[in-house]
Amino acid sequence: MAEEKFPGWHGTTIIGIRKGGKVVVAGDGQVSLGQTVIKGSARKVRRLSPGGHDIVAGFAGSTADAFTLLERLEKKLEASPGQLMRGCVELAKDWRMDKYLRNLEAMLIVTDGNDLYVLTGAGDVLEPEHGIAAIGSGGNFALAAARGLMETDLDAEAVARKAMAIASDICVYTNGNLTVESIGG
């Protein structure tokens, strides 16, 4: 459909914070179609257990596309248990080279409690600086807020919650209905 007829889905902010030996991934619940909020309580942060190893993942973008990527990531991690980086790189290679996967429109933040990565359809597996990863419509707002909060005495979860609250005050595609998962520490 033409962009003017179908304005597109918007509305996600996902943040990952690594601080004090703990990693927290938080995501808001808003899904918007153009200027209309379609759902305010979507769950975009999930706990996975491929091969018995805990992984927390958050996604921004198309839900069906993200679930496809999460299923593929689980398979990669089952093939190489406990090797998050290897599984992420293998997924990114497939995502970039496979004709079907190449068209998927989503981004992922994944962590095993030690490592924290952002995966994109451009073939990127990024380890963010400063222990903060953020994606989605309000990602840059949450990232900026978290960067400022990292120097405080707040723990990882408090930083994530406060950064998401700031993002939801600024970004019309982000709400305060959070799903928060922590791992490690």
Side-chain angles (χ1 to χ4, degrees):
M1 294 180 103
E3 182 66 26
E4 52 280 349
K5 291 182 184 176
F6 185 75
W9 296 90
H10 294 284
T12 295
T13 301
I14 306 292
I15 191 162
I17 304 289
R18 181 179 41 225
K19 186 175 182 186
K22 183 177 181 181
V23 182
V24 172
V25 179
D28 78 316
Q30 184 165 312
V31 177
S32 303
L33 179 59
Q35 297 176 0
T36 304
V37 175
I38 300 298
K39 185 174 183 175
S41 60
R43 183 169 156 77
K44 303 171 204 164
V45 176
R46 309 265 177 199
R47 188 173 288 274
L48 312 171
S49 294
H53 296 274
D54 280 342
I55 302 293
V56 174
F59 64 86
S62 166
T63 303
D65 292 357
F67 283 153
T68 298
L69 293 168
L70 290 173
E71 287 173 8
R72 295 278 183 125
L73 178 61
E74 277 189 293
K75 288 177 185 173
K76 298 292 183 189
L77 293 171
E78 286 170 357
S80 55
Q83 297 180 48
L84 182 60
M85 170 60 100
R86 182 176 181 166
C88 289
V89 168
E90 291 299 319
L91 174 64
K93 287 186 337 190
D94 288 355
W95 194 353
R96 182 83 171 136
M97 296 187 328
D98 183 275
K99 287 182 182 180
Y100 168 73
L101 292 179
R102 192 178 313 146
N103 294 316
L104 299 183
E105 296 180 3
M107 292 179 74
L108 303 174
I109 291 178
V110 298
T111 183
D112 59 2
N114 294 314
D115 297 314
L116 178 65
Y117 300 114
V118 175
L119 284 73
T120 75
D124 299 314
V125 178
L126 305 169
E127 185 171 15
E129 294 180 329
H130 312 291
I132 308 165
I135 57 175
S137 302
N140 287 335
F141 302 116
L143 176 67
R147 291 271 310 265
L149 293 166
M150 288 297 275
E151 299 299 319
T152 67
D153 292 335
L154 297 174
D155 66 6
E157 184 171 339
V159 169
R161 287 183 180 279
K162 183 70 173 165
M164 291 294 288
I166 291 168
S168 71
D169 284 346
I170 298 169
C171 178
V172 297
Y173 297 115
T174 304
N175 71 17
N177 187 0
L178 300 182
T179 301
V180 180
E181 292 282 350
S182 63
I183 190 168

